[in-house]
Amino acid sequence: MMEIKKQEFTKPLIIAGPCSAESQEQLLTTAQGLEGKATIFRAGVWKPRTRPNSFEGVGEKALEWLKVIKQKTSLKVATEVANAQHVEACLKADIDVLWLGARTTVNPFYVQEIAESLRGVDINVMVKN
């Protein structure tokens, strides 16, 4: 579980980063610009889309890029998960915070699947909407 120091409660928790992870260079440049300003770096690895053939993210390889962010900055890292396979991949990559997006939260079956995959795991989970 991410530890938040007592003095950090006096300032806002800032989560920032690109909507979608497109390259390691993009993430590292953005994270370095946010260091000292944000607490958590977020980037979408999987991008659920309504329209077929739209960019759906680069997938698991971007988790390696987030690991680089953790190594080279003081930022915690976060990404959106939509199913148990995403959760497992994020846990293996040592992602600090998971979030459930709007498309996932409207489906109780998805939420239950994710909850079951997190049973016994100590990680912060945020829910959009």
Side-chain angles (χ1 to χ4, degrees):
M1 180 176 223
M2 181 176 65
E3 292 186 32
I4 299 175
K5 296 176 186 162
K6 193 169 191 171
Q7 69 268 17
E8 289 181 339
F9 286 116
T10 60
K11 61 181 182 178
L13 175 68
I14 298 175
I15 303 168
C19 177
S20 118
E22 296 175 14
S23 72
Q24 184 172 345
E25 180 182 359
Q26 171 217 28
L27 295 190
L28 189 54
T29 300
T30 305
Q32 289 170 334
L34 291 170
E35 194 166 20
K37 300 172 184 96
T39 310
I40 300 172
F41 181 81
R42 56 90 70 199
V45 171
W46 299 279
K47 299 301 295 174
R49 300 292 188 204
T50 305
R51 175 178 265 182
N53 301 319
S54 296
F55 176 70
E56 294 185 340
V58 296
E60 281 190 49
K61 74 177 178 179
L63 296 176
E64 294 300 317
W65 304 341
L66 290 173
K67 286 169 71 171
V68 171
I69 301 304
K70 285 182 65 157
Q71 294 166 355
K72 295 192 174 194
T73 72
S74 60
L75 297 165
K76 302 288 186 184
V77 295
T79 197
E80 180 178 353
V81 295
N83 59 46
Q85 292 80 18
H86 292 170
V87 170
E88 292 302 318
C90 287
L91 293 175
K92 287 179 187 170
D94 198 29
I95 301 302
D96 299 302
V97 179
L98 306 178
W99 85 77
L100 304 182
R103 288 184 175 95
T104 302
T105 59
V106 297
N107 187 320
F109 298 106
Y110 293 160
V111 174
Q112 184 63 41
E113 175 186 322
I114 292 167
E116 288 172 5
S117 70
L118 288 168
R119 186 168 292 160
V121 176
D122 188 16
I123 190 169
N124 289 307
V125 177
M126 299 185 314
V127 179
K128 189 173 178 180
N129 287 358

